[in-house]
Amino acid sequence: MTSMRVKGWLWALLPLLLLAVVSVVVGRMGLAEFLRRGAPPVEELTFDRVTLEPGAMTIEVVNGGPDPVTIAQVMVDDAFWDFTITPAATVPRLGRVSIELEYPWVENEPHEITLLTSTGLTFSHEIAVATETPTIGPQFFAIFTLIGLYVGVIPIAIGLLWYPALRRLEQRWIDFVLALTIGLLVFLGADALIEAAKTGTQVAGAFQGSLLVVIGALGALLFLQVVSRSKVDRTEAQGRHAVAVLIAVGIGLHNLGEGLAIGAAYALGEAALGTFLIIGFMLHNTTEGLGIVAPIARDRPKLSTLASLGLVAGVPTIVGAWIGGLAYSPLYATLFLSMGAGAIAQVVVALYRTLSRSTGRMEWNPLTASGVLVGLLVMYGTGLLVGG
Amino acid sequence: MMSDSASLSRRDLIRRGAIGAAGLGVLSQAVHAAERLSGGPHDPMRAGTVGTVKGGALDPLRFLEHFDYGQVSQLASGQTLREYDITAVDREIEVAPGVFYPAWTYNGQVPGPTIRTTEGDRVRVHFRNAGTHAHTIHFHGVHPANMDGVFEPVHPGEEFVYEFDAKPAGLHLYHCHAIPLKKHIAKGLYGAFIVDPVEARPPAREMVMVLNGFDTNFDGENEVYAANTIAFAYQNQPIQVVKHELQRIYMVNLLEFDLVNSMHLHGNFFHVYRTGTSRTPHEFTDTLMMCQGERHILEFAYEDVGRFMFHAHQSEFTELGWMGMFEVVEPST
């Protein structure tokens, strides 16, 4: 029996062993060079992060192409400029280098950085609005925590205050609110997915940003499906509570991605103020709080339960803002946003089951259908207040 | 290049709203880096390339003062014959430290050798094409139609002999005229062609500067600008000039893609002999505009010692490599 198992393992290893042998042969015999037919190497550099301090810039660059790339010269605003590069001018595949240069950049003006490689190819990055990158310190954490509070925690806390009103509703109107929550979540999930796909295109080629979206979304969906399955299917009240937790987690992941983007935007100096925007933004995110309490409307959750749900959904915004401000990279942003989309998709499924049970498998009636639509429209309408 | 922020998405505005919500426009008033670091970001020597060109294809200081007078003999008529050998060859050249350009060259160098003769001499150029595309040599000057280097493409492996009497006296140029023309010039097939007047110009320290550029990523715009190919060559190795000595520059503009080039001299003025065809200067100036293919002789002398810049007055060309320095020194007595 044991020898059978050993034999099984050996057979499983054999193809891997052969693959290793063939790889060595290809590498040693220069087959790749032969197949390339003298074509020049393919170069691809991606700017991961540019930070500004007074009179100086630091540029982090990733090689996402198939071949090593040598950065020969650096131009800033169409002028060759003195620079230092660490660890080396030649960036290996999937390697990362940091370029430092002293440059008298101008506050609030755009600047363009161009890297000239040894083969004469150029890779450019535009700093849309130059402003000093925040440095880590008490002030940094104060700013980013404040951003997170405004964006995530406060609107959700306000939204949770709809709970007493929801409790007093008739069952069919609770069903309406559940359907409305589905609409809200579908909107948020689609938003996260679209944003993930967008940032995915900025990820260095070899990391396959667009496919990371699939992995992140499906991974989060499957993970939450497995961990929540037993809880959602328990007694009705427990099941509803579990759904509320899931909604909070899903929204939390979405807000983590959003916080990341906000933190990065602030760190990279995209700032504009408008009272109208602030109010619109608060309205927009307040609906997230409503979504969390909808499934447990007829239960009697403790205040502490409500508070912890709000924190699960809101606090990730603060964490996201920290990460975004400290070490934004399109890679993380893509991953977090797609995980948010996957988590929300799972929550929509769970919520649908709750609705299905609540309506005695008559989930689609004019009231619930219009609930979903109203949910979408509320998000769309409040979205209009904060942008296009 | 447009950035993502140029198109406002919903999230962009959310970001801005959020940032506004934070209501913080904190700008740290940290010690300015300029004060912290030696030199600082405004140090003029920060502008320029990093590293040194290893050499090989072209030594800028040698090229500057090297003139090819050809192999000299007498024809039966008594006329002086000057023979030159020029071979077109593909060669990768270093146009800035670590930046390599797949050039097409005359005799393996860009610019090609500076061909120098005297008005009335017979010029005979043995041209061999060892490159991968058809090439020619088109000399500016007065000569027969079949010696114009336009209608007789010389294919790889073939040869052609250009023969004509050198005229008129002046500063001219030569370049490949195979099609597509722009490509053949931009790739590096050009050089200066000096026809000295029979009555020699006054003695002077003579230099040749071929103004050129390189579109290293082939997008129809130059990434690198220079006098004599290598960006900042004469900034990194200033040209020694003796005080009071007459300096004569043969300056030829062979820049492609950009319509106009120019020369600006610091701390001095120069006499301009347009195309070098007249013995009286046309202009006394410190800034000279030059179209593609234009060339002029510049004469000046320095009255003070020290470092003086010279560069294009298109400042973007300057900062992309077309910049140099004269180091004026006392005469050694």
Side-chain angles (χ1 to χ4, degrees):
Chain A
M1 204 54 201
T2 342
S3 69
M4 283 282 280
R5 193 173 292 165
V6 170
K7 269 185 190 166
W9 276 108
L10 283 178
W11 279 114
L13 284 174
L14 185 66
L16 293 178
L17 205 67
L18 282 175
L19 202 59
V21 170
V22 172
S23 302
V24 169
V25 169
V26 168
R28 285 280 166 83
M29 288 180 65
L31 188 65
E33 287 303 311
F34 173 71
L35 292 175
R36 177 175 275 175
R37 294 186 304 132
V42 179
E43 297 187 337
E44 194 204 293
L45 292 176
T46 307
F47 289 79
D48 216 32
R49 185 176 164 87
V50 176
T51 51
L52 303 180
E53 58 178 295
M57 296 179 174
T58 305
I59 305 147
E60 280 168 39
V61 179
V62 173
N63 177 3
D67 296 305
V69 179
T70 299
I71 298 169
Q73 298 296 336
V74 177
M75 300 178 211
V76 187
D77 299 334
D78 280 338
F80 284 112
W81 212 261
D82 194 16
F83 67 95
T84 52
I85 188 163
T86 44
T90 299
V91 197
R93 176 174 150 77
L94 300 184
R96 172 189 287 269
V97 292
S98 177
I99 298 164
E100 287 178 46
L101 48 90
E102 286 183 34
Y103 188 85
W105 53 270
V106 182
E107 182 80 29
N108 295 333
E109 289 189 11
H111 289 285
E112 189 179 41
I113 300 162
T114 300
L115 307 178
L116 184 57
T117 73
S118 59
T119 64
L121 285 189
T122 52
F123 296 91
S124 296
H125 172 81
E126 194 196 0
I127 300 165
V129 184
T131 190
E132 191 185 344
T133 310
T135 45
I136 305 164
Q139 195 186 31
F140 171 91
F141 285 103
I143 292 168
F144 284 83
T145 305
L146 204 54
I147 290 173
L149 279 174
Y150 270 96
V151 174
V153 179
I154 292 172
I156 288 170
I158 292 170
L160 287 172
L161 296 179
W162 263 307
Y163 168 70
L166 282 178
R167 266 177 60 194
R168 290 169 173 80
L169 285 179
E170 284 176 50
Q171 180 59 44
R172 61 193 183 107
W173 284 107
I174 287 179
D175 293 342
F176 172 81
V177 174
L178 281 172
L180 183 137
T181 304
I182 290 176
L184 303 178
L185 289 170
V186 166
F187 188 96
L188 281 180
D191 174 53
L193 199 61
I194 290 163
E195 286 301 325
K198 210 170 101 180
T199 47
T201 60
Q202 296 165 16
V203 173
F207 292 105
Q208 307 151 76
S210 303
L211 290 163
L212 269 186
V213 176
V214 178
I215 294 171
L218 210 58
L221 195 156
L222 291 172
F223 176 77
L224 287 179
Q225 190 71 27
V226 170
V227 297
S228 70
R229 176 138 195 95
S230 55
K231 286 168 190 148
V232 174
D233 289 345
R234 273 191 214 156
T235 68
E236 294 233 329
Q238 276 174 324
R240 286 193 295 271
H241 178 256
V243 169
V245 172
L246 282 176
I247 292 174
V249 169
I251 288 174
L253 272 171
H254 171 269
N255 286 351
L256 183 71
E258 191 143 80
L260 202 70
I262 292 161
Y266 184 81
L268 303 178
E270 292 174 30
L273 175 63
T275 315
F276 186 64
L277 288 181
I278 303 164
I279 295 167
F281 189 83
M282 305 266 303
L283 276 176
H284 190 72
N285 280 10
T286 302
T287 49
E288 291 178 351
L290 175 67
I292 294 167
V293 286
I296 47 174
R298 55 181 161 169
D299 305 323
R300 286 179 174 274
K302 282 182 278 181
L303 192 64
S304 62
T305 310
L306 280 181
S308 57
L309 285 174
L311 290 177
V312 165
V315 169
T317 320
I318 299 174
V319 179
W322 287 347
I323 300 173
L326 278 173
Y328 176 79
S329 95
L331 188 72
Y332 298 146
T334 303
L335 210 54
F336 286 131
L337 282 166
S338 57
M339 281 164 63
I344 287 169
Q346 197 276 332
V347 176
V348 168
V349 172
L351 206 53
Y352 174 77
R353 281 207 232 122
T354 307
L355 181 66
S356 179
R357 263 198 300 258
S358 170
T359 53
R361 304 210 178 270
M362 295 282 285
E363 59 268 34
W364 295 123
N365 55 56
L367 205 57
T368 54
S370 56
V372 173
L373 208 59
V374 168
L376 287 168
L377 289 174
V378 163
M379 288 310 258
Y380 182 80
T382 53
L384 284 179
L385 292 177
V386 291
Chain B
M1 178 174 277
M2 295 290 285
S3 77
D4 288 341
S5 62
S7 63
L8 291 178
S9 75
R10 173 180 158 274
R11 186 170 299 271
D12 287 331
L13 283 166
I14 287 178
R15 285 177 195 165
R16 284 157 200 222
I19 290 149
L24 294 160
V26 183
L27 276 173
S28 105
Q29 298 296 319
V31 182
H32 204 272
E35 293 158 10
R36 275 208 318 261
L37 298 151
S38 62
H42 288 280
D43 177 356
M45 298 313 282
R46 293 247 170 242
T49 48
V50 172
T52 51
V53 169
K54 303 291 180 291
L58 190 90
D59 176 346
L61 284 179
R62 183 175 183 278
F63 177 85
L64 184 73
E65 299 184 81
H66 187 77
F67 303 93
D68 187 351
Y69 290 93
Q71 193 165 353
V72 184
S73 60
Q74 296 275 309
L75 292 171
S77 62
Q79 189 183 13
T80 302
L81 171 70
R82 294 180 189 271
E83 293 183 89
Y84 305 83
D85 287 307
I86 291 187
T87 303
V89 57
D90 297 358
R91 181 168 181 183
E92 194 170 73
I93 58 170
E94 197 173 356
V95 296
V99 181
F100 295 89
Y101 179 80
W104 295 342
T105 72
Y106 289 129
N107 288 358
Q109 66 180 63
V110 180
T114 301
I115 294 178
R116 191 158 187 177
T117 180
T118 305
E119 187 178 22
D121 289 354
R122 174 61 57 89
V123 172
R124 187 180 288 163
V125 178
H126 301 275
F127 177 54
R128 195 165 67 82
N129 185 357
T132 49
H133 288 254
H135 298 305
T136 70
I137 306 178
H138 164 70
F139 285 90
H140 284 219
V142 180
H143 48 239
N146 62 350
M147 290 293 134
D148 198 38
V150 172
F151 302 112
E152 304 82 10
V154 183
H155 294 279
E158 291 181 356
E159 298 187 358
F160 193 89
V161 178
Y162 298 96
E163 189 166 334
F164 51 85
D165 292 338
K167 61 186 172 184
L171 170 58
H172 310 308
L173 60 146
Y174 67 92
H175 59 85
C176 180
H177 215 294
I179 53 161
L181 183 59
K182 190 167 61 181
K183 171 67 79 180
H184 284 252
I185 296 176
K187 288 282 264 182
L189 291 167
Y190 47 76
F193 175 42
I194 299 169
V195 180
D196 286 321
V198 176
E199 189 194 333
R201 296 176 199 279
R205 186 274 186 90
E206 297 195 317
M207 295 170 267
V208 63
M209 288 189 194
V210 177
L211 310 184
N212 55 356
F214 294 92
D215 173 17
T216 63
N217 62 1
F218 304 104
D219 65 348
E221 287 179 27
N222 293 306
E223 273 67 44
V224 173
Y225 292 81
N228 298 340
T229 297
I230 295 169
F232 300 107
Y234 304 116
Q235 174 174 300
N236 299 330
Q237 285 180 285
I239 299 166
Q240 295 279 319
V241 164
V242 176
K243 198 166 98 171
H244 301 313
E245 185 188 40
L246 180 64
Q247 308 293 317
R248 181 177 296 130
I249 302 178
Y250 295 92
M251 185 166 276
V252 182
N253 179 28
L254 268 153
L255 189 63
E256 279 295 310
F257 309 116
D258 294 287
L259 303 183
V260 168
N261 206 336
S262 63
M263 160 67 170
H264 168 55
L265 186 64
H266 279 224
N268 213 339
F269 266 55
F270 51 81
H271 292 283
V272 181
Y273 300 83
R274 306 188 80 87
T275 322
T277 46
S278 169
R279 300 302 290 264
T280 42
H282 295 80
E283 202 179 356
F284 187 55
T285 181
D286 66 356
T287 305
L288 177 66
M289 181 169 87
M290 298 172 86
C291 184
Q292 294 179 347
E294 270 197 294
R295 64 280 183 189
H296 306 303
I297 296 173
L298 281 48
E299 288 184 355
F300 57 92
Y302 269 100
E303 304 304 324
D304 291 292
V305 296
R307 287 194 161 194
F308 295 93
M309 276 184 173
F310 63 96
H311 54 81
H313 219 294
Q314 284 88 346
S315 35
E316 63 270 34
F317 299 179
T318 308
E319 294 189 314
L320 288 172
W322 170 190
M323 142 103 96
M325 207 100 74
F326 289 118
E327 174 92 60
V328 184
V329 296
E330 296 283 356
S332 54
T333 42

